[in-house]
Amino acid sequence: MKKKNEQKGINIYWVYGAIAIFFIGIQFFNSFSSSTEKITKNEFLNEFLNENEVEKVVIVNNEFVEVYIKESKLNKEKHKGVHQIGPHYYFNITSGEQFEEDLKEFYITNKSIESYNQINVDVEIRKDIFGDMLGWIIPLAIMLMIWIYIMRRMSGGGASGGGIFNIGKSKAELFDKNTNEKTTFKDVAGLEGAKEEVKEIVDFLKNPKKYTSLGGKIPKGVLLVGPPGTGKTLLAKAVAGEAQVPFFSLSGSDFVEMFVGVGASRVRDLFKTAKSKSPSIIFIDEIDAIGRSRGKNQITGANDERENTLNQLLTEMDGFGTNHHVIVIAATNRADVLDKALVRAGRFDRQIYVDLPELSERKAIFKVHTNDLKINKKLDLDFLAKQTPGFSGADIANLCNEAALTAARKNKKMISREDFLEAVDRIVGGVERKNKLMTIEERKIIAYHEAGHAIVSWMLEHAAPLVKVTIVPRGKSLGAAWYLPDERQITRIEQMLDEMCATLGGRAAEEIIFNKVSTGALNDLEKVSKQAKAMVLIYGFNKKIGNVTYYDSSGQETFFNKPYSEDTAKTIDQEIKKIIEEEYVRAKKILKKYKKRLEELANLLLNKEVIFREDLEKVLGKRQWIAVEKININKFRKK
Ligand code: ATP
């Protein structure tokens, strides 16, 4: 369809082009169709005038002179090529006056020419109406073409679009019975709670009486909130596939245009169309593009257009009663920035939180996305789900695709567990860079650094269990220790401290073995500093600071208005440093105790480059933690 439209657009421009070429062609033809021969002024004076062959001359437009030859002389050999009817020749001049001066001078110098033989000189001003017209028609036509082109682009309709007059119309895509939207709730894995709620919306629209008979009201809006890639759009698409009612889908940014009032007009148009097709659903993706809190940028006024759009949305959502049966579903990653008026009950009555998937949900998502893949029958989806904590649905979809590509690269017939693991590494750590240049000394430092992490985490009760350790450079990192963190909802002090201690194990190992430290621990230090800062400033884990948090969930706290005094700032600094130093000392203590095993593990790493949990067990024995290194968490408790 689009192709056809584009074709039509091209045709219009062909027509414009053909008209322009036609006009230019006529002009071109006109100027060359005359049979008058061109000569020079000297030829005219010496060969024609001197020979007394000229009947008369006409100075035209002060630009050229037309020469008429006497009839009696036309049969001469040199005039053979010219027509019988004059003008027979022409030549260009700089000005008519100058030509007459030249003529006079010629008569004076050539006394042989009798006065009665002197020729008549006429002057004519001729109007080239056609040429004059072309002079303004062509620029006008070009301007017209440019204007039409811009208008078409602005209306977003391409060559066949509805023109500038459609700019205020909503850009919503309509899915109804006739469209082939095949997504159903089966395609959405996990998200049971969210699915239940949106299924109810579908039911509201299909059987409104069931709900309204008891006096209840059908909700007007549902807000899907959650991190990127968790399946909000997918859920909405499934509603479209299942509801069997018209479903208008568009993104918040589709309302925004550079013209004032367009956004509001599009909102009005969208609701008008949706109401006319009621019962129906409107889906607005990324609603934060228009729904951000109003009034924060009063000085610049830059937000006026967005605010108008939002106001119109608020008005429209108020405007339709429950009998209209139009439900608005919106999705956002940032519910916190939305205007309070938008999320109040009565507009978006329901907020559905779509969180990152848990273990069982990840397994279900793997199931959906491996359905069409040629996977090894032995592939354990539980194992894959365990390996991917923190992955969103979109990440898992990407991982499955990446695994398929990895297997294809190796010309395999089936996708196996290794391909999935390689894809995890690639997604989390970046592309492998085996040929990165490194000195032997550098490799040794990296091996000890990673072995340090491995040993310390192995010996601590609350540190996350290790999955594998590698010294193959990937992305920006030169080596890595991969952990499998618990999926916990709350974290206790001892868990944070053990994790910090394991993170500092890398630098501690470098110091113990080489008696020097390197820049390789930058990421570790950043992570540990953030954790220590959070313990003191956010979670109230520090005895000296007490049960105080300086965290502001509204995000209005700035660098300039620190909520604590200078004295407290000093204490905060000291306490953060103290926590980190204590953990560093603890890590060193563990490594000194197991120095032999540290060396053994580092050598194993240098040989094999990648070692797994099983290899660690061989070197370190079954995982067990030692009482000596347990921390005295009482020191964090207030007396
Ligand atoms: P964003 O907030 O960035 O727009 P989103 O939450 O709308 O993200 P989707 O666009 O719905 O995320 O998800 C992207 C892709 O991830 C989907 O097309 C689908 O392939 C996959 N996906 C996400 N969640 C799930 C799920 N629960 N089940 C199956 N596939 C999922």
Side-chain angles (χ1 to χ4, degrees):
M1 182 71 178
K2 196 160 182 233
K3 230 178 173 167
K4 215 170 158 188
N5 291 339
E6 274 165 12
Q7 195 65 39
K8 215 165 141 193
I10 289 168
N11 287 344
I12 289 171
Y13 293 111
W14 270 113
V15 171
Y16 291 145
I19 292 171
I21 290 170
F22 174 73
F23 277 106
I24 293 166
I26 287 179
Q27 179 73 348
F28 199 67
F29 179 74
N30 263 359
S31 59
F32 284 93
S33 62
S34 162
S35 64
T36 317
E37 229 176 79
K38 191 175 177 185
I39 53 171
T40 62
K41 195 171 77 184
N42 280 348
E43 273 179 297
F44 163 74
L45 293 173
N46 299 323
E47 290 180 25
F48 297 172
L49 195 60
N50 209 13
E51 303 282 322
N52 194 20
E53 292 176 355
V54 180
E55 167 99 44
K56 66 165 183 175
V57 289
V58 183
I59 302 170
V60 183
N61 291 350
N62 258 339
E63 288 171 359
F64 60 93
V65 176
E66 286 177 344
V67 183
Y68 289 78
I69 303 291
K70 286 179 183 165
E71 216 179 323
S72 56
K73 308 281 180 184
L74 273 177
N75 49 5
K76 271 189 156 182
E77 184 63 26
K78 63 177 169 188
H79 302 305
K80 248 191 172 166
V82 298
H83 273 255
Q84 291 298 309
I85 305 159
H88 302 102
Y89 298 96
Y90 80 95
F91 57 89
N92 292 331
I93 51 169
T94 45
S95 79
E97 261 174 42
Q98 181 63 44
F99 171 67
E100 285 185 272
E101 289 285 316
D102 292 349
L103 208 57
K104 256 186 218 162
E105 213 171 289
F106 186 79
Y107 288 143
I108 294 165
T109 47
N110 293 278
K111 298 241 168 55
S112 58
I113 299 177
E114 302 292 338
S115 61
Y116 59 83
N117 275 339
Q118 290 183 0
I119 53 162
N120 286 333
V121 177
D122 277 356
V123 176
E124 251 182 60
I125 300 293
R126 283 184 206 158
K127 287 228 164 213
D128 179 7
I129 299 172
F130 205 68
D132 286 354
M133 265 170 65
L134 275 186
W136 59 266
I137 283 179
I138 290 179
L140 195 76
I142 291 173
M143 276 162 62
L144 198 74
M145 277 161 68
I146 293 173
W147 185 74
I148 290 172
Y149 177 74
I150 292 173
M151 286 302 143
R152 276 171 196 280
R153 288 303 296 259
M154 281 195 325
S155 65
S160 67
I164 184 79
F165 307 107
N166 263 356
I167 199 160
K169 291 254 186 293
S170 116
K171 289 177 163 186
E173 200 181 343
L174 173 65
F175 299 92
D176 54 16
K177 281 175 221 147
N178 307 325
T179 14
N180 255 354
E181 178 52 58
K182 288 199 190 87
T183 311
T184 64
F185 285 128
K186 270 192 206 138
D187 299 307
V188 187
L191 308 180
E192 289 311 325
K195 250 192 315 198
E196 269 319 302
E197 298 228 21
V198 286
K199 269 184 191 164
E200 208 176 52
I201 306 285
V202 176
D203 207 34
F204 281 145
L205 293 172
K206 281 186 175 165
N207 313 302
K209 275 207 183 111
K210 178 176 153 190
Y211 297 91
T212 50
S213 61
L214 297 176
K217 286 179 190 155
I218 288 175
K220 288 179 183 174
V222 178
L223 189 63
L224 300 172
V225 187
T230 43
K232 300 179 291 297
T233 313
L234 188 71
L235 208 55
K237 274 191 193 162
V239 175
E242 302 253 354
Q244 304 285 328
V245 297
F247 183 95
F248 297 88
S249 167
L250 78 171
S251 163
S253 56
D254 287 341
F255 290 111
V256 188
E257 197 71 63
M258 64 177 180
F259 301 112
V260 177
V262 170
S265 152
R266 283 185 180 164
V267 172
R268 229 174 293 130
D269 185 62
L270 172 69
F271 277 81
K272 200 171 131 204
T273 326
K275 274 184 229 166
S276 71
K277 297 212 171 189
S278 139
S280 58
I281 297 173
I282 295 173
F283 174 60
I284 308 174
D285 207 355
E286 319 292 354
I287 196 172
D288 41 299
I290 50 165
R292 275 170 191 268
S293 311
R294 289 163 293 177
K296 285 208 173 140
N297 248 347
Q298 289 299 4
I299 308 165
T300 60
N303 279 344
D304 276 1
E305 172 54 8
R306 195 178 51 73
E307 286 190 7
N308 286 344
T309 313
L310 174 59
N311 285 337
Q312 189 62 41
L313 181 65
L314 298 178
T315 318
E316 290 292 342
M317 287 191 77
D318 270 344
F320 61 82
T322 39
N323 53 341
H324 273 119
H325 302 329
V326 176
I327 292 183
V328 184
I329 303 179
T332 178
N333 303 327
R334 302 283 321 266
D336 54 320
V337 299
L338 293 183
D339 199 277
K340 295 271 179 296
L342 189 64
V343 289
R344 75 148 163 84
R347 289 206 178 95
F348 284 102
D349 314 75
R350 291 190 172 189
Q351 287 201 17
I352 302 175
Y353 198 74
V354 186
D355 209 349
L356 286 171
E358 289 174 0
L359 189 70
S360 60
E361 290 176 316
R362 286 202 300 277
K363 185 179 169 189
I365 299 175
F366 266 113
K367 214 171 195 167
V368 168
H369 289 283
T370 47
N371 239 349
D372 298 331
L373 300 182
K374 285 188 181 165
I375 53 167
N376 196 323
K377 277 193 192 112
K378 282 186 201 154
L379 186 73
D380 181 2
L381 294 185
D382 265 320
F383 170 78
L384 289 182
K386 273 187 196 152
Q387 295 299 314
T388 47
F391 272 46
S392 67
D395 291 333
I396 294 175
N398 182 25
L399 170 64
C400 293
N401 190 47
E402 197 65 53
L405 297 181
T406 310
R409 214 173 292 137
K410 294 178 190 160
N411 298 323
K412 284 189 179 174
K413 294 246 156 42
M414 290 273 175
I415 312 165
S416 64
R417 175 181 149 140
E418 285 69 44
D419 302 317
F420 278 94
L421 288 180
E422 211 174 310
V424 174
D425 290 359
R426 198 186 165 110
I427 289 170
V428 178
V431 182
E432 203 172 271
R433 295 186 300 163
K434 272 205 158 152
N435 48 1
K436 191 174 171 67
L437 280 181
M438 254 192 288
T439 61
I440 296 173
E441 183 67 18
E442 278 174 338
R443 271 191 90 224
K444 211 170 151 191
I445 294 174
I446 296 164
Y448 274 99
H449 184 105
E450 300 307 333
H453 285 307
I455 291 191
V456 177
S457 68
W458 197 259
M459 298 300 171
L460 293 174
E461 181 178 355
H462 303 288
L466 258 174
V467 181
K468 72 173 185 184
V469 190
T470 158
I471 56 164
V472 178
R474 240 179 216 289
K476 281 187 179 169
S477 76
L478 299 172
W482 299 70
Y483 302 96
L484 197 60
D486 289 343
E487 293 189 32
R488 52 186 182 227
Q489 306 302 321
I490 50 171
T491 306
R492 294 198 312 274
I493 299 175
E494 51 268 39
Q495 289 166 331
M496 275 184 124
L497 291 175
D498 274 5
E499 274 164 21
M500 286 165 69
C501 183
T503 313
L504 288 165
R507 170 161 279 199
E510 285 182 47
E511 196 188 324
I512 288 169
I513 303 294
F514 305 104
N515 209 13
K516 282 178 201 150
V517 287
S518 73
T519 55
L522 174 63
N523 277 347
D524 301 338
L525 294 185
E526 188 186 348
K527 196 171 148 199
V528 169
S529 305
K530 270 189 193 155
Q531 272 173 314
K533 203 169 155 190
M535 284 179 79
V536 178
L537 284 174
I538 298 176
Y539 300 117
F541 280 171
N542 188 270
K543 202 169 149 189
K544 280 206 178 144
I545 299 297
N547 290 325
V548 175
T549 183
Y550 297 105
Y551 176 66
D552 179 18
S553 58
S554 68
Q556 282 168 359
E557 211 57 74
T558 63
F559 179 76
F560 297 104
N561 55 352
K562 280 191 183 135
Y564 38 76
S565 67
E566 279 304 311
D567 278 352
T568 315
K570 261 188 201 156
T571 318
I572 289 170
D573 279 346
Q574 284 163 0
E575 289 304 297
I576 291 175
K577 268 188 208 151
K578 204 169 134 201
I579 294 174
I580 297 174
E581 275 325 299
E582 275 176 8
E583 289 317 308
Y584 187 60
V585 169
R586 197 153 68 102
K588 280 206 295 193
K589 223 167 154 187
I590 297 174
L591 290 173
K592 272 182 191 156
K593 188 168 175 185
Y594 295 99
K595 195 171 169 191
K596 258 205 158 144
R597 295 192 192 172
L598 173 68
E599 281 164 356
E600 227 176 295
L601 200 64
N603 286 329
L604 191 68
L605 259 177
L606 285 168
N607 279 338
K608 289 176 84 173
E609 290 202 326
V610 184
I611 55 174
F612 292 92
R613 193 188 168 87
E614 301 80 60
D615 305 303
L616 283 166
E617 262 172 22
K618 271 185 212 150
V619 177
L620 303 171
K622 275 257 175 257
R623 192 168 177 227
Q624 55 179 359
W625 27 92
I626 12 175
V628 171
E629 278 71 32
K630 271 195 168 179
I631 31 159
N632 175 14
I633 56 165
N634 280 334
K635 71 181 173 191
F636 291 95
R637 291 206 185 113
K638 278 190 121 181
K639 283 195 181 132

